[in-house]
Amino acid sequence: EIVLIQSPATLSLSPGERATLSCRASQSVSSYLAWYQQKPGQAPRLLIYDASNRATGIPTRFSGSGSGTDFTLTISSLEPEDFAVYYCQQRSNWWTFGQGTKVEIK
Amino acid sequence: QLQLQESGPGLVKPSETLSLTCTVSGGSISTSFYYWGWIRQPPGKGLEWIATIYHSGSTYYKPSLKSRVTISVDTSKNQFSLRLNSVTAADTAVYYCARMNDAFGWPSWFDYWGQGTLVTVSS
């Protein structure tokens, strides 16, 4: 099973700041990585797929990069609605998720 | 707009079988290039993929759960279902159903999700 490790576990930032979230895979997943946002009491929402493609309706402040084992989700300028938990997910070998990064208000 | 809705008991006794159904509306479960899956999330924890099915009946199971899980599809009702046998407290979680996009003939991303249903395993 491919293990995805996300860091940091918690990111404390203020609105308007840039957020950089990391996801590292235990083996190469090529570009087969997605990012999701989850708010309390809600289902996850697909943000990014294939490492760098924004899903339908996702604002341009969200961007993804990386390939192989190291990936990054960047939120260029945090809006109040962006404070949530973010998960990465790979589809290279079955489907597994990272443990999540919580982006909280500083 | 595609919608998915989970249904089933919220409380299951240890050693019994958890059964959930996902009803799809706003689109056909038989549409080509889409798969259908189950994911769970224990309270306060992360997401775990459980199983996936195509309308033709092709199935994929998480290896560590395969001996206890069955996923099935009923195209006439536009529904798919999950059965998890011999449950324990460790199976307590919010269970989500979701649509998976197809990428070159392989299920890929979860692009539509149900709201989730909490299933508690307790006597």
Side-chain angles (χ1 to χ4, degrees):
Chain A
E1 176 176 307
I2 295 178
V3 177
L4 300 177
I5 302 296
Q6 294 186 239
S7 62
T10 303
L11 198 52
S12 298
L13 296 168
S14 300
E17 289 193 295
R18 182 184 189 90
T20 303
L21 289 67
S22 174
C23 177
R24 177 164 290 180
S26 58
Q27 64 189 76
S28 176
V29 298
S30 186
S31 62
Y32 302 145
L33 191 103
W35 291 93
Y36 298 82
Q37 176 194 68
Q38 187 178 34
K39 297 179 181 179
Q42 295 185 18
R45 176 175 70 145
L46 178 66
L47 299 176
I48 302 286
Y49 64 93
D50 285 346
S52 60
N53 297 293
R54 273 186 298 278
T56 302
I58 302 303
T60 56
R61 63 181 181 274
F62 291 93
S63 63
S65 63
S67 65
T69 60
D70 291 304
F71 299 86
T72 300
L73 174 69
T74 302
I75 310 171
S76 59
S77 178
L78 283 163
E79 296 288 339
E81 63 267 28
D82 298 336
F83 292 92
V85 179
Y86 293 82
Y87 293 95
C88 56
Q89 175 239 322
Q90 63 82 25
R91 68 169 181 91
S92 177
N93 185 324
W94 302 111
W95 302 270
T96 56
F97 293 85
Q99 84 281 13
T101 290
K102 181 179 182 180
V103 179
E104 65 176 22
I105 299 176
K106 186 174 182 180
Chain B
Q1 176 76 352
L2 191 75
Q3 292 187 320
L4 294 85
Q5 179 67 58
E6 305 88 351
S7 59
L11 181 64
V12 181
K13 290 182 168 57
S15 80
E16 295 191 345
T17 297
L18 179 160
S19 295
L20 295 173
T21 295
C22 182
T23 300
V24 178
S25 59
S28 173
I29 204 169
S30 298
T31 301
S32 296
F33 309 122
Y34 293 116
Y35 296 75
W36 307 90
W38 289 96
I39 305 98
R40 68 181 180 180
Q41 185 172 36
K45 297 188 178 181
L47 300 161
E48 178 184 34
W49 166 74
I50 303 169
T52 292
I53 193 165
Y54 194 58
H55 62 80
S56 64
S58 298
T59 56
Y60 309 83
Y61 294 106
K62 180 172 177 130
S64 61
L65 295 173
K66 186 174 183 178
S67 63
R68 297 197 292 133
V69 175
T70 303
I71 189 171
S72 59
V73 64
D74 186 336
T75 55
S76 67
K77 295 182 179 179
N78 227 31
Q79 295 177 333
F80 63 105
S81 299
L82 177 75
R83 287 174 57 87
L84 178 64
N85 302 328
S86 305
V87 297
T88 69
D91 295 310
T92 294
V94 174
Y95 285 76
Y96 294 100
C97 61
R99 188 182 80 170
M100 299 181 77
N101 239 312
D102 173 285
F104 303 105
W106 184 250
S108 56
W109 319 121
F110 302 92
D111 61 353
Y112 281 90
W113 295 66
Q115 65 185 25
T117 186
L118 174 63
V119 179
T120 301
V121 178
S122 175
S123 55

